[in-house]
Amino acid sequence: MFRVTGLEARSRESFKAYFGLSNTELDRIVSGSWRVPIRSAWQVAGRIRNVADPRPERMLMASVIAMVIVVVGIAQWLR
């Protein structure tokens, strides 16, 4: 389907041009790790949503930081 609509090849540059992504956006979607070299469909879908609208990803990071601050504060208070 993608070939018919204009995707030229299975290369990184072709995907970037077809979907209109920057290097950073493409890396956030497709990058794997040594533990998980291939991502499942639901993980890729989540990464695509985060590239399209990064607010939920930022909110998650902010909430984790806030929780760490609260835990450290409580630990200091209990001393």
Side-chain angles (χ1 to χ4, degrees), residues 28-58:
R28 288 180 64 201
I29 292 170
V30 300
S31 65
S33 68
W34 63 274
R35 285 185 273 165
V36 185
I38 298 174
R39 301 260 177 223
S40 62
W42 68 269
Q43 288 175 323
V44 173
R47 286 174 172 230
I48 291 170
R49 281 191 297 275
N50 287 338
V51 166
D53 185 15
R55 285 180 295 175
E57 187 177 63
R58 288 186 189 143

Side-chain angles (χ1 to χ4, degrees), residues 9 14 21-22 24-25 29 31 39 41 45 47 50-51 60 76:
S14 294
L21 300 170
S22 68
T24 305
E25 291 170 335
I29 292 170
S31 65
R39 301 260 177 223
R47 286 174 172 230
N50 287 338
V51 166
L60 177 64
Q76 292 295 322

Side-chain angles (χ1 to χ4, degrees), residues 6-7 11 15 18 21 42 47 51 56 58 61 63 65-66 77:
L7 183 62
S11 69
F15 279 109
Y18 182 79
L21 300 170
W42 68 269
R47 286 174 172 230
V51 166
R58 288 186 189 143
M61 184 62 150
S63 63
I65 291 171
W77 181 69

